[in-house]
């Protein structure tokens, strides 16, 4: 082979090598697995803080930190590949400095996180906005640091020129990292605000306070019932502090009768300390002479714990105890409350016939707008359109101020769910 042929062959070989170099795609298995690992670990840590009654800043909940870390992972992968495939070959010294800064920053973040005590109080507006800004920063920094460590540990070599992300790729990964978590967090905040209203309506101030504190972290601009979340949180802090003081006074009196125990347990339930309340009530509940109030409170606590079997049993015991007492306004109200508790528990257990019978029993004793609307909601859930419509009308007629708007929504829902059923449209409009 003459020199010209040898040179031509070398040029072809070099061209093929360059083509392979520039067209090869880095294997992203290790970065993806590393990102999943750190997201799962962070989610577990946040949940452990939450279970301990603290606030794990700035994410508050396990699902939120997992969403933030996973959505930030594509951006961290693109940046780490650019550092390893571009910066490393252009300036090795700068590449080492960037690695060192990323790793030192990650170590400092982890040291601060695991050494600082987690707050259980209400945050200020500044703290909330700081948490809002820290969420993407911490997720990006920790993801990037872990990917750089994984690249060194597994000896991942990204050749120069193998990664050329275009503008569309950068826009996509940036939007995924920043916009998707914001939308997800806002949807969770909306759910929490709705649940806060439910807790406040049932007098569970401790549970409402916990959720409001999380709203303050996740949405500094959020409002609950038309008031800023921070103001609602401070009001709940004040109310819960007063209840704790009352509970401390009761504990000092050291009375051991059922009535005092019931009042202490009721305050604990208001604060959301269900386990402590149950421990107080259980010895009295096991007695055949247990007060209906004791059984009724236990039934309510079991409902909050989603223990539907024990809840309906406790409410049935309360019902029997109420029936043995002389007829009075309190006795009748207790019977109605017991029927409602039984109905709700049976409904959750899927015993719809027993639930309907309990709702109707409560309605027969107290034919109020509240009872009619509960039945309307029950019949809507069980696809009994005509009955749901009838009781919704009754609730709206008895108390238009309270059930006018909600009754209208229920009727609209019935029409949307059963558009093909002529009976929904029969006998006139709304």
């Amino acid at each position: 082979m003459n020199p010209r042929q040898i040179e031509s062959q070398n040029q072809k070989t070099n061209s093929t090598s360059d083509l392979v170099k520039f067209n090869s795609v880095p294997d992203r298995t290790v970065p993806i697995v590393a990102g999943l690992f750190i997201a799962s670990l962070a989610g577990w840590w946040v949940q452990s803080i939450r279970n301990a009654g603290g606030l794990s800043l700035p994410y508050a909940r396990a699902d939120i930190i997992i969403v933030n870390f996973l959505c930030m992972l594509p951006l961290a992968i693109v940046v780490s590949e650019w550092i390893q495939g571009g910066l490393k070959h252009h300036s090795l010294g700068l590449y080492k400095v960037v690695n060192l800064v990323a790793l030192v920053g990650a170590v400092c973040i982890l040291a601060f996180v695991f050494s600082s005590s987690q707050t259980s109080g209400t945050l200020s507006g500044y703290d909330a906005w700081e948490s809002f800004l820290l969420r993407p920063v911490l997720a990006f920094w920790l993801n990037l640091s872990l990917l750089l460590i994984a690249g060194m540990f597994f000896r991942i070599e990204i050749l120069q020129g193998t990664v050329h992300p275009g503008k569309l790729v950068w826009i996509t990964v940036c939007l995924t990292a920043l916009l998707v978590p914001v939308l997800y967090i806002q949807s969770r905040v909306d759910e929490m605000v709705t649940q806060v209203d439910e807790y406040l309506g049932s007098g569970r101030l401790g549970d409402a306070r916990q959720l409001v504190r999380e709203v303050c972290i996740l949405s500094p601009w959020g409002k609950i019932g038309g008031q800023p979340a921070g103001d609602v949180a401070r009001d709940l802090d004040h109310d819960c502090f007063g209840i704790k003081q009352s509970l401390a006074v009761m504990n000092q009196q050291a009375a051991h009768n059922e009535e005092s125990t019931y009042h202490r347990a009721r305050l604990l339930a208001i604060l959301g300390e269900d386990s402590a309340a149950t421990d107080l009530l259980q010895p009295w509940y096991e007695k055949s002479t247990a007060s209906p109030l004791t059984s009724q409170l236990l039934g309510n606590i079991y409902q909050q714990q989603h223990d539907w079997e024990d809840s309906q049993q406790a409410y049935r015991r309360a019902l029997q105890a109420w029936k043995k007492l002389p007829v009075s306004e309190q006795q009748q109200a207790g019977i109605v409350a017991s029927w409602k508790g039984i109905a709700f528990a049976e409904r959750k257990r899927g015993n719809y016939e027993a639930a309907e019978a309990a709702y109707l029993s409560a309605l027969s004793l107290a034919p109020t707008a509240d009872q009619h609307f509960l039945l309307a909601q029950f019949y809507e859930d069980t696809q009994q359109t005509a009955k749901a419509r009838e009781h919704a009308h009754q609730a709206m007629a008895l108390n238009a101020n309270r059930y006018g708007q909600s009754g209208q929504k229920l009727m609209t829902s019935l029409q949307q769910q059963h558009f093909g059923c002529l009976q929904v449209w029969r006998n006139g409009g709304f």
Side-chain angles (χ1 to χ4, degrees), residues 154-189:
F154 290 96
R155 296 292 189 271
I156 297 174
E157 182 69 21
I158 299 178
L159 300 178
Q160 181 180 5
T162 58
V163 180
H164 288 289
K167 292 182 179 180
L168 182 60
V169 173
W170 282 106
I171 292 174
T172 301
V173 296
C174 288
L175 288 178
T176 300
L178 300 176
L179 186 59
V180 174
V182 169
L183 296 176
Y184 178 80
I185 289 172
Q186 188 56 48
S187 68
R188 297 294 284 124
V189 168

Side-chain angles (χ1 to χ4, degrees), residues 298-348:
L298 262 178
N300 181 266
I301 293 173
Y302 287 140
Q303 280 192 359
Q304 299 301 325
Q305 298 173 338
H306 295 178
D307 186 349
W308 311 118
E309 173 68 24
D310 287 339
S311 176
Q312 68 90 18
Q313 290 181 3
Y315 273 116
R316 289 193 182 278
R317 282 196 61 181
L319 177 64
Q320 298 302 319
W322 281 119
K323 288 181 176 180
K324 296 177 181 179
L325 297 178
V327 177
S328 65
E329 184 176 343
Q330 182 186 15
Q331 187 244 16
Q332 291 297 298
I335 291 176
V336 171
S338 297
W339 277 123
K340 288 167 61 178
I342 293 169
F344 189 75
E346 295 289 11
R347 178 178 171 183
K348 289 295 185 179

Side-chain angles (χ1 to χ4, degrees), residues 30 84 88 95-96 98-100 102-103 144-157:
V30 172
Q84 294 173 335
K88 181 177 181 180
Y95 167 76
K96 293 181 178 179
V98 170
N99 273 270
L100 181 62
L103 298 182
L144 180 63
S145 301
L146 183 65
L147 294 181
L148 293 176
I149 292 174
M152 292 185 292
F153 184 77
F154 290 96
R155 296 292 189 271
I156 297 174
E157 182 69 21

